[in-house]
Amino acid sequence: MSLNRVSSLETFAPLLTENRSRRSSDASTRARKISFNPLPSSWDPPALEQIQAVGAFEVPRWKRTLQVVVAVIYCLFAAGIVFGYAAIKPVLKREGAYRDVCRVDPNDEDAIGEDTCVEIHLNFMFTAAAVATNVAALPIGAILDRYGPRVCGLLGSLCLAIGALCMSFENQLPFDGLLFGYLFLALGGPFTYISSFQLSNAFPKNSGLILALLTGAFDASSALFLVYRIIYEHTNETFGHQSFFLAYLVVPAAIAVIQLVLMPAQSYKTVGELVEEIEEPIPADMEPYDDQIDEETALLHEEERQHRAEVVSGIQELLGTTKADKQARKEERKNEISGVWGVMHAYTAWEQIKSPWFILICLFTVIQMTRINYFVATIRVQYTYLLSSPALAERVNDFFDLALPLGGILSIPFIGAILDRTSTLTVLVTLVATATTIGILGIIPHSLLAAYANVCLFVLYRPFYYTAVSDYSAKVFGFRTFGKVYGTIICLAGLFNFSQSGLDYLLHETFNGDPVPVNVGLMAAGLLIGVVMVMFVGVQSRGIKRKLLEEEARGAFAYAGNGMGTGTTSTREWSAN
């Protein structure tokens, strides 16, 4: 999985400039929200108008509740099903996947074995799907920003339908139906999932809970293929993948109907946009008027005043009168704890991408995403060798299939607490230490306990890692360039996942099924880059803290020199320069 939420869909903190406070907050910046569009707004074609957001108070409460419930349900069946690959892989192998293209000529001594050939083809199918999931976030973000969540949801249902049909009739297609089918299933997931993010603004007071439910549904959706495999085995393998994917067509059909009948065509306004709407000054033409204005104009002005009063009342009921101030204080506390918040906010996206802050986290993400997806694709093969027992390897694989979705759900509250209450440096140290521990557990032979411990740690680390990367990007680079910077990190990491085909060849042919050399290489690369990243962030965070203390001391001195009340120098002034 790679598509995770950030802690909030907007920020209350202003963009950094030399004349703005690092921790200040004002209404003019509360409307800033994440855009998933990787292109600058100035590049948007002028002939098309973006879908305008709607205030949640304008939609009945029962309808918003139903929208959230239904979105969680269909994300459970569609958002990240391709990451249940480890569960469906044995079914596809028993059904004879790729046997027709992997027949080995007995006279060809250089040909790879049939089982190895099938393994590589299936793993490439998953690799292509994982890459598509990551890369697709960029164009999907542009479509969502311009055309709204309904169009994204309909495109997602179309991709899911195409994918199910290709998987079902793969033997009758003139191209690789499994590869393209799995690819389209992967594309349908982010279309469905990303377009659901905006529903967190349907109930701003509970936005965190809604995001957690959607994320949990994404993680749990990988269990769909596990459920199917259990059904497949209990029906004596008569309920084949063709029947399953034909039945699965009900899901995209239901999503399409739901999008047209129930879900909003426009995204809901963020808290910041609603607060700004309340604080917007009264237009000049609505100010008190003199006796020269006729009766009709006076009535129109009165109707406008009443409408504005109703809007303000609806927003206040939705948010609560102190919601914005509490959220602002909460965000400021989190920013202070992070230790690196705002360090690159004042720079352009290109300047941010050229910086060590970006290069190091991007390299670390490339290595970790490759490790994560490689482990998902090869867990049974690895433990067949490490445990010297196909039966034990199957037990570990079965445990992993169950633990993967559960780990994503169970880790949600802990992830939020860690990211909000610890510094970014502490989070990075935890990531590097955990990744190294997983690497060590993954090379211990003949130990079933180490295998289970590795799986447990892996399923908890996976969602924590992806969420930490998005949190790092938001705190270091800011929301103004979030779509471009975070999208670039995930896109590059996704493209590098094509290296898994080479790793598969090394595992099966060069090292004769021994996973230790590949795992050691990936672990060493991740540890090296991780240590460099931690050292860099540690040095920079200490420098930031020292500079803040110097600014506070100067501000306090100036305040005292101005007569304990006449000074206006901010003690929290911060410049990215």
Side-chain angles (χ1 to χ4, degrees):
M1 187 183 77
S2 61
L3 295 172
N4 272 272
R5 85 281 186 199
V6 291
S7 59
S8 174
L9 291 184
E10 61 176 322
T11 180
F12 286 84
L15 302 178
L16 290 176
T17 64
E18 295 185 9
N19 300 317
R20 301 294 293 274
S21 168
R22 183 174 183 247
R23 296 179 176 86
S24 62
S25 178
D26 56 43
S28 66
T29 60
R30 285 175 183 152
R32 175 74 63 184
K33 65 178 180 179
I34 288 181
S35 169
F36 287 90
N37 190 344
L39 302 178
S41 58
S42 59
W43 292 8
D44 290 334
L48 297 174
E49 293 186 0
Q50 289 183 317
I51 295 293
Q52 296 299 312
V54 63
F57 64 92
E58 301 176 47
V59 180
R61 184 181 182 88
W62 68 265
K63 189 172 184 179
R64 286 181 279 131
T65 302
L66 187 58
Q67 287 171 346
V68 171
V69 172
V70 170
V72 170
I73 292 173
Y74 68 59
C75 281
L76 185 63
F77 285 93
I81 58 172
V82 294
F83 293 99
Y85 169 72
I88 200 171
K89 181 180 177 181
V91 175
L92 295 177
K93 291 183 76 171
R94 291 179 203 171
E95 295 263 295
Y98 291 113
R99 293 294 178 186
D100 55 335
V101 296
C102 287
R103 291 192 180 93
V104 178
D105 184 355
N107 297 321
D108 187 356
E109 297 180 355
D110 296 327
I112 61 175
E114 182 175 312
D115 289 340
T116 300
C117 176
V118 171
E119 187 81 18
I120 291 175
H121 273 82
L122 285 173
N123 288 349
F124 181 76
M125 177 189 80
F126 171 70
T127 299
V131 170
T133 302
N134 297 318
V135 175
L138 296 179
I140 290 172
I143 294 170
L144 177 62
D145 286 350
R146 176 155 297 282
Y147 299 106
R150 177 175 291 170
V151 171
C152 274
L154 291 173
L155 289 174
S157 66
L158 178 61
C159 289
L160 291 170
I162 293 173
L165 288 171
C166 287
M167 293 291 289
S168 184
F169 297 104
E170 47 96 9
N171 286 326
Q172 304 171 33
L173 297 174
F175 52 85
D176 190 340
L178 290 176
L179 175 63
F180 282 93
Y182 216 71
L183 182 66
F184 273 98
L185 290 176
L187 290 174
F191 265 117
T192 304
Y193 178 56
I194 293 177
S195 64
S196 301
F197 279 171
Q198 53 86 28
L199 291 175
S200 65
N201 295 312
F203 296 94
K205 294 180 182 179
N206 305 109
S207 60
L209 173 62
I210 295 172
L211 285 172
L213 289 173
L214 290 170
T215 304
F218 183 103
D219 292 329
S221 64
S222 62
L224 180 66
F225 287 157
L226 171 62
V227 174
Y228 164 58
R229 195 189 74 195
I230 294 173
I231 295 174
Y232 176 78
E233 292 172 348
H234 280 75
T235 57
N236 295 319
E237 303 184 358
T238 57
F239 188 57
H241 74 279
Q242 180 178 15
S243 301
F244 169 75
F245 283 108
L246 282 177
Y248 183 77
L249 288 171
V250 173
V251 174
I255 292 175
V257 172
I258 290 168
Q259 290 294 335
L260 294 172
V261 174
L262 178 65
M263 306 306 285
Q266 313 100 318
S267 296
Y268 285 116
K269 289 182 179 180
T270 64
V271 172
E273 290 171 321
L274 293 173
V275 170
E276 190 175 65
E277 192 170 338
I278 292 178
E279 298 177 349
E280 191 176 70
I282 298 175
D285 60 359
M286 291 178 61
E287 292 295 338
Y289 40 84
D290 54 36
D291 296 336
Q292 296 179 353
I293 296 179
D294 57 36
E295 183 177 354
E296 182 179 356
T297 304
L299 289 173
L300 289 175
H301 282 189
E302 183 61 29
E303 288 178 1
E304 289 176 351
R305 282 193 180 85
Q306 290 179 359
H307 174 69
R308 178 180 173 82
E310 291 174 359
V311 169
V312 171
S313 176
I315 293 174
Q316 289 179 339
E317 182 181 353
L318 185 70
L319 302 181
T321 55
T322 60
K323 172 67 178 180
D325 291 335
K326 286 184 178 179
Q327 182 67 21
R329 289 194 295 270
K330 180 180 178 182
E331 291 295 323
E332 288 175 6
R333 285 196 298 271
K334 288 194 296 184
N335 295 341
E336 291 179 1
I337 291 171
S338 74
V340 299
W341 184 89
V343 67
M344 294 295 292
H345 286 202
Y347 295 90
T348 65
W350 177 237
E351 289 171 333
Q352 291 173 346
I353 289 172
K354 292 190 298 182
S355 71
W357 292 96
F358 174 88
I359 293 171
L360 290 172
I361 193 65
C362 186
L363 289 175
F364 192 64
T365 301
V366 165
I367 298 298
Q368 296 308 315
M369 188 180 292
T370 302
R371 285 184 65 187
I372 288 170
N373 290 334
Y374 178 70
F375 184 76
V376 171
T378 61
I379 178 172
R380 181 174 296 199
V381 174
Q382 290 195 37
Y383 278 107
T384 297
Y385 185 94
L386 290 172
L387 299 176
S388 301
S389 169
L392 290 178
E394 184 175 356
R395 285 173 55 187
V396 173
N397 196 156
D398 292 343
F399 177 71
F400 175 77
D401 292 339
L402 182 62
L404 187 63
L406 288 178
I409 296 172
L410 295 176
S411 63
I412 289 173
F414 303 102
I415 291 173
I418 292 172
L419 295 180
D420 289 346
R421 299 177 184 178
T422 61
S423 68
T424 299
L425 179 62
T426 301
V427 171
L428 294 178
V429 170
T430 303
L431 287 176
V432 175
T434 306
T436 304
T437 303
I438 291 173
I440 294 172
L441 290 173
I443 60 176
I444 297 177
H446 312 299
S447 174
L448 191 60
L449 179 61
Y452 283 126
N454 188 29
V455 168
C456 291
L457 198 56
F458 176 88
V459 299
L460 294 174
Y461 172 80
R462 178 172 166 265
F464 174 54
Y465 173 76
Y466 284 122
T467 309
V469 172
S470 65
D471 182 75
Y472 172 99
S473 299
K475 289 175 179 175
V476 172
F477 303 113
F479 290 89
R480 179 172 58 93
T481 57
F482 183 89
K484 305 178 188 69
V485 175
Y486 180 69
T488 302
I489 292 173
I490 296 301
C491 181
L492 292 175
L495 290 173
F496 192 80
N497 268 244
F498 278 122
S499 65
Q500 286 187 55
S501 295
L503 297 178
D504 263 340
Y505 184 84
L506 289 175
L507 172 65
H508 292 286
E509 294 298 311
T510 305
F511 301 118
N512 298 317
D514 182 0
V516 173
V518 173
N519 287 342
V520 169
L522 291 172
M523 179 183 66
L527 180 60
L528 176 63
I529 295 172
V531 168
V532 173
M533 179 177 63
V534 166
M535 292 175 62
F536 172 80
V537 173
V539 171
Q540 293 295 317
S541 62
R542 283 195 294 271
I544 292 169
K545 185 176 181 179
R546 183 169 59 251
K547 195 164 187 175
L548 281 173
L549 291 174
E550 291 173 356
E551 291 291 332
E552 288 183 353
R554 274 199 295 270
F557 180 78
Y559 181 76
N562 284 333
M564 296 299 290
T566 59
T568 58
T569 303
S570 170
T571 61
R572 295 290 188 183
E573 181 106 3
W574 168 258
S575 169
N577 296 323

